Amino acid sequence: RMFTTPHFISGNFKSPAVFLSNEEYGRALDCLVKACTDIMITNPRGEILLGKRKVYPHPDWWIIGGRMRPGETVTDSAMRLLHRELHFTPKGKQSDRFSTVANYTYCFDMRNEAPQENGNADLVTIVCLQLSQEEAESISYFDANEYEKLRWTKPEHIMQDKISTRQKENNLIDSQQ
């Protein structure tokens, strides 16, 4: 069941828009939970767009997304990330296009920033964006610094791929398969 994520602002909040150096950001990741927005982009065939990530914390197939900025709504964050990572802007009224699917916490054992082995913890809001066929076909760009490639995948294949990968990692695959 999908829902919206409320956004509350107290008083006259203004984002300080501070950019941390890599060292400062690494220290921040050691003591804070980072908020992220991930976007489950679907096409009319029911497939989900995945990107093959090159970087930690998850160098594998994943949905498009990234960290939120102070003061952003989930929709604002999703729109910024779509533009940054795919050079894509959905048509129509943006607030009507995104539905919150779930909120998750992740703890990763590795991260992109030094010291990498310290990992990081994320609080992630996953939103769904259903595209028209025309919109889906228009996506061809991806941030080559972060992704190797994109692919449309049926949901049942995502789960099977993850199970197979996890079994291989743990040597749980029956030798007869």
Side-chain angles (χ1 to χ4, degrees), residues 8-94:
F8 303 98
I9 296 176
S10 175
N12 295 318
F13 175 82
K14 299 277 189 245
S15 175
V18 174
F19 186 81
L20 300 177
S21 69
N22 287 340
E23 181 181 345
E24 289 175 311
Y25 186 60
R27 291 191 67 218
L29 290 175
D30 286 340
C31 60
L32 300 172
V33 176
K34 177 178 50 150
C36 296
T37 304
D38 285 352
I39 308 127
M40 185 174 67
I41 303 167
T42 62
N43 66 23
R45 294 184 304 274
E47 297 168 320
I48 298 170
L49 183 64
L50 298 178
K52 175 76 168 156
R53 290 175 50 91
K54 295 179 178 180
V55 297
Y56 288 107
H58 193 73
D60 199 351
W61 291 102
W62 199 258
I63 57 179
I64 304 303
R67 68 179 164 239
M68 292 182 73
R69 292 182 178 166
E72 281 186 322
T73 66
V74 171
T75 298
D76 292 343
S77 176
M79 290 295 296
R80 178 181 54 77
L81 292 164
L82 284 170
H83 185 264
R84 185 192 79 200
E85 298 192 12
L86 300 176
H87 288 186
F88 176 75
T89 302
K91 297 176 180 176
K93 186 176 176 189
Q94 308 316 325

Side-chain angles (χ1 to χ4, degrees), residues 7-177:
H7 180 75
F8 303 98
I9 296 176
S10 175
N12 295 318
F13 175 82
K14 299 277 189 245
S15 175
V18 174
F19 186 81
L20 300 177
S21 69
N22 287 340
E23 181 181 345
E24 289 175 311
Y25 186 60
R27 291 191 67 218
L29 290 175
D30 286 340
C31 60
L32 300 172
V33 176
K34 177 178 50 150
C36 296
T37 304
D38 285 352
I39 308 127
M40 185 174 67
I41 303 167
T42 62
N43 66 23
R45 294 184 304 274
E47 297 168 320
I48 298 170
L49 183 64
L50 298 178
K52 175 76 168 156
R53 290 175 50 91
K54 295 179 178 180
V55 297
Y56 288 107
H58 193 73
D60 199 351
W61 291 102
W62 199 258
I63 57 179
I64 304 303
R67 68 179 164 239
M68 292 182 73
R69 292 182 178 166
E72 281 186 322
T73 66
V74 171
T75 298
D76 292 343
S77 176
M79 290 295 296
R80 178 181 54 77
L81 292 164
L82 284 170
H83 185 264
R84 185 192 79 200
E85 298 192 12
L86 300 176
H87 288 186
F88 176 75
T89 302
K91 297 176 180 176
K93 186 176 176 189
Q94 308 316 325
S95 60
D96 294 340
R97 296 293 307 268
F98 297 95
S99 298
T100 300
V101 177
N103 294 294
Y104 290 95
T105 58
Y106 294 112
C107 293
F108 295 103
D109 62 344
M110 294 289 287
R111 67 184 188 213
N112 211 40
E113 300 77 18
Q116 287 185 306
E117 66 277 1
N118 285 10
N120 66 275
D122 294 347
L123 172 61
V124 181
T125 299
I126 299 177
V127 296
C128 182
L129 172 64
Q130 296 179 346
L131 301 184
S132 67
Q133 189 62 37
E134 177 186 353
E135 287 176 312
E137 290 172 356
S138 75
I139 295 177
S140 60
Y141 171 88
F142 56 90
D143 180 350
N145 292 318
E146 190 160 342
Y147 298 97
E148 284 181 36
K149 55 187 167 183
L150 301 175
R151 79 174 186 202
W152 290 101
T153 306
K154 295 267 184 210
E156 58 270 19
H157 295 156
I158 295 170
M159 290 309 299
Q160 188 56 48
D161 287 350
K162 291 296 177 200
I163 291 167
S164 296
T165 300
R166 187 71 62 212
Q167 288 173 332
K168 287 175 191 170
E169 288 173 357
N170 295 318
N171 296 318
L172 296 177
I173 297 238
D174 186 343
S175 60
Q176 295 179 359
Q177 289 185 347

